[in-house]
Amino acid sequence: ARQQPAPTPGSAPPAALQNLAADASAMIASAGTKDWSGVSAQLSAVQQAWSAPRPAAAARGASPGLLDALDSAVAAVTAQADALSVRGTQVAANRLTGYVPDLLVLYSSPAPPQLAEMQFLARAMQLDVRAGRTAPLWTEARTAGTQWAFIRASARRTDATDATAVDQELAALGTAISGVLGGAGVARPASVPLPTAASTASSSSAGTSITAASGLAPGGSAARSSASASAPATSRSGSSAGTTGTASSSAPAAPSGGGGGGAPSTTPLSAVSAAAAQLLQTLGSLQRAYQGG
């Protein structure tokens, strides 16, 4: 479990920390279009955005494992960008964003850290679809639903329209993934369902936000490891700084004979990517609502 100190009341995250996730996310888009000059500029911003708040994060009690993991993540995205690897840069950049929620718990952030975790998961699903990797989708979608259950009540008070949209988009995502994996002959574990509009609505009593003692919702680091497993020539370390959970233990295996699993003809993987993209857009809108913008 996460061992982090309680945040100091009124201590907002530094702007550099907010920029870290934004610049790393921008790298994903730039690498996708092979805009390497853009990637280079964003990489410089990422390196600066991490070097600035690192000492303060250490002083506030960030674990050595978390700090080392972020150092490694920045080094990994640097190596992949230098190698002009589209897939490697995108996966490494998204992995870097996955650590931001672990830092946000050190501060009194207007937006709950689970929101950043859900954005990481939505991007991970998009990247998995592009690589034809279907096996991690169950875990990523289930974990996103778990994160949402922790903040749904708070989100509805912040922006009811966006919160309703997230309910619907999680349900649509579950349907799309069910069609892909079900059509490929992979049975969904009955004990661990994907999110639906009904299940997310019934989870609103889970609480309005996390506390420093509980950390992120269960399953975050498990999905983060799964989502980043395909990054070329890199590995994740320092995972003890993340959250605990068993979400990945029941993820279905990839369909036999398909390598990483391909899209069945009846339900294209593009439906999963489209659903994840819509969810990511709504989460961004909800994040702005939390921040008063």
Side-chain angles (χ1 to χ4, degrees):
R2 186 188 310 281
Q3 298 293 325
Q4 300 286 16
T8 303
S11 56
L17 184 55
Q18 304 285 6
N19 293 338
L20 180 63
D23 292 328
S25 298
M27 288 184 70
I28 298 173
S30 294
T33 59
K34 298 186 179 180
D35 176 12
W36 296 112
S37 61
V39 168
S40 178
Q42 290 147 1
L43 176 61
S44 296
V46 162
Q47 293 167 337
Q48 182 177 356
W50 173 229
S51 64
R54 191 187 191 285
R60 295 183 72 86
S63 69
L66 174 58
L67 297 174
D68 289 345
L70 273 152
D71 290 341
S72 297
V74 172
V77 75
T78 300
Q80 295 299 331
D82 288 346
L84 305 184
S85 169
V86 172
R87 167 72 178 168
T89 300
Q90 290 180 320
V91 172
N94 193 45
R95 178 189 301 161
L96 177 58
T97 71
Y99 289 108
V100 171
D102 298 316
L103 293 170
L104 290 177
V105 299
L106 300 172
Y107 301 90
S108 297
S109 175
Q114 289 97 333
L115 203 56
E117 182 83 9
M118 290 178 70
Q119 290 172 310
F120 157 77
L121 290 163
R123 285 189 297 266
M125 285 183 272
Q126 289 181 301
L127 293 174
D128 283 334
V129 166
R130 292 171 194 170
R133 300 178 68 242
T134 59
L137 295 175
W138 284 122
T139 302
E140 291 157 355
R142 289 200 306 265
T143 306
T146 301
Q147 302 287 354
W148 179 238
F150 271 73
I151 64 171
R152 184 179 183 275
S154 169
R156 288 193 63 81
R157 290 194 298 270
T158 301
D159 191 314
T161 300
D162 278 346
T164 298
V166 171
D167 285 342
Q168 296 168 344
E169 289 154 11
L170 283 172
L173 188 59
T175 298
I177 295 174
S178 180
V180 169
L181 295 185
V186 180
R188 170 168 59 86
S191 60
V192 194
L194 281 168
T196 63
S199 67
T200 53
S202 65
S203 301
S204 60
S205 61
T208 59
S209 65
I210 61 170
T211 63
S214 65
L216 292 178
S221 64
R224 187 149 55 235
S225 298
S226 173
S228 61
S230 62
T234 59
S235 61
R236 180 173 175 185
S237 61
S239 60
S240 61
T243 56
T244 59
T246 58
S248 62
S249 63
S250 57
S256 60
S265 58
T266 55
T267 308
L269 275 170
S270 59
V272 178
S273 183
Q278 186 60 54
L279 175 62
L280 188 58
Q281 180 177 338
T282 303
L283 292 173
S285 175
L286 185 56
Q287 184 174 47
R288 290 188 291 274
Y290 269 106
Q291 294 169 342

